[in-house]
Amino acid sequence: MYIDQELCKKCLDCKPVCPMGAFILKDKKVVVDYETCVECGVCLRFEICPENAIKQVDEIPYPRILRSVFSDPLQRHESTGILGRGTEEMKTNDVTNLFQKGKIGFSIELGRPVGGAYLRDLEKVVKKVTAMGVTFAEDNPVVQLIADRSTGALKPEILGERVLSAIVECLVPEERALRFIDEMAEFLRAEVDCVVTMSAVSRADDDGNSAFLQKLKEVGKNPYPNGKVNIGMAIV
Ligand code: SF4
Ligand code: SF4
């Protein structure tokens, strides 16, 4: 996104609309900070500018286009055909049956409005999941960004791109799930420089209860069923 300086009247009406704080004053002009902008399209959709000074280039080049496809809820991912972050985020598990009995599904979401996340931090998480020998949920656009499945390294040219958020999803055998939580949480706190949310999903047992939930309580993790839990709150 950029501002046509011929049209801009410096009213700053656009400033509060941007979830990333990308509209800034520079050299007495209102500009879009190119590094901060994640190309989410919110400013255009809100039609906030009375002068129609906010503009988008005809075609966002690769790899910057990844900012848009991960941050703009109206963009559809080619690999999955799903809008926004490109995954149904475990919410449709009752239909897809992706996370079956005996497996715990984990989503590790990097980024939030204001902070966002760099893909270099996403790579750290993908590498960690790979090193732990855990299976990725394949129907997720993050998997398409992996250049080397043996290490989890992402395509090198994309690492400097910033997105509103991206989610890694994986399946962990239930007997390894508690260890996975502890090891991943420690890793995220130490290594990842953005807000992270880790969520888990498990199928109910035949009696309608969840043995996994019970296990979490027994080790003092006090989960919030159907809620989101922020961990690894880091400097953004
Ligand atoms: S709302 Fe439009 S005219 Fe006002 S500062 Fe932003 S770009 Fe300029
Ligand atoms: S596209 Fe999104 S991040 Fe970029 S300036 Fe507009 S609202 Fe801000």
Side-chain angles (χ1 to χ4, degrees), residues 8 40 42 46 48 51 72 89 103 134 163 183 194 208 228:
C8 178
C40 66
V42 166
F46 267 64
I48 190 68
E51 308 300 328
D72 183 340
E89 300 171 42
K103 294 269 173 60
V134 169
V163 298
E183 190 174 335
C194 65
K228 280 195 168 183

Side-chain angles (χ1 to χ4, degrees), residues 1 17-23 32 36-44 54 56:
M1 216 60 71
V17 164
C18 176
M20 297 297 291
F23 291 106
V32 175
T36 304
C37 172
V38 292
E39 307 290 2
C40 66
V42 166
C43 50
L44 277 186
I54 301 171
Q56 181 57 285

